[in-house]
Amino acid sequence: MLLLSLILYSIVFVSGYLWIKKKLKVSNDSNQLLYKHINRFHLIGELIIIAVSLIALYFMRIVWEWRSSAYQDVILVVAVLHAFRSVVERRYKKDSKQHFLSAYASVSGLLLFLGIELFA
């Protein structure tokens, strides 16, 4: 049942992502890599978020032996990274409208995390 729910969630997420991209006419930078940092502030901010989350996951799983089987924490970290990217894109690249897609990915990731946390 969980696998079927994840497949359905993926279909809804991709269709929503494509709909938002088409509706808002978000530009696609085809000459860039798949993922590129916006500026140095974004790079350092993401590294700090990743370092803090790795330390927190280490303490939660190994030191305190709390949430040892919680695999969905990675989804939460990715959602937070998308939220940070959305804020930085809104601040520095407002005209490209990419921040809408990052915010959608962040909210969708948070909903996926909550769904798995509550119902699995």
Side-chain angles (χ1 to χ4, degrees):
M1 185 67 181
L2 179 65
L3 185 62
L4 182 64
S5 299
L6 289 176
I7 291 171
L8 181 63
Y9 171 81
S10 299
I11 292 170
V12 169
F13 173 75
V14 169
S15 62
Y17 191 87
L18 293 175
W19 181 78
I20 289 173
K21 190 173 182 175
K22 182 178 179 183
K23 187 75 172 173
L24 296 177
K25 298 178 180 132
V26 177
S27 63
N28 188 10
D29 297 333
S30 60
N31 58 352
Q32 291 183 350
L33 296 173
L34 184 62
Y35 185 82
K36 185 177 179 185
H37 296 287
I38 296 167
N39 55 18
R40 189 159 178 84
F41 172 72
H42 182 232
L43 172 68
I44 292 170
E46 278 195 347
L47 289 176
I48 290 171
I49 291 172
I50 290 171
V52 167
S53 64
L54 286 175
I55 292 169
L57 289 174
Y58 172 77
F59 274 100
M60 282 192 315
R61 293 185 181 188
I62 295 174
V63 176
W64 298 326
E65 295 179 0
W66 179 60
R67 296 179 58 88
S68 60
S69 63
Y71 55 88
Q72 63 268 26
D73 291 338
V74 175
I75 297 171
L76 181 63
V77 172
V78 171
V80 170
L81 287 173
H82 275 291
F84 181 69
R85 183 174 180 90
S86 175
V87 169
V88 173
E89 283 175 341
R90 172 96 166 99
R91 175 82 174 131
Y92 294 107
K93 291 175 62 175
K94 189 182 232 181
D95 55 343
S96 71
K97 298 181 187 176
Q98 284 284 82
H99 58 279
F100 289 118
L101 295 175
S102 296
Y104 175 73
S106 175
V107 170
S108 298
L110 289 174
L111 290 176
L112 177 63
F113 172 77
L114 288 175
I116 291 175
E117 189 73 26
L118 294 175
F119 300 116

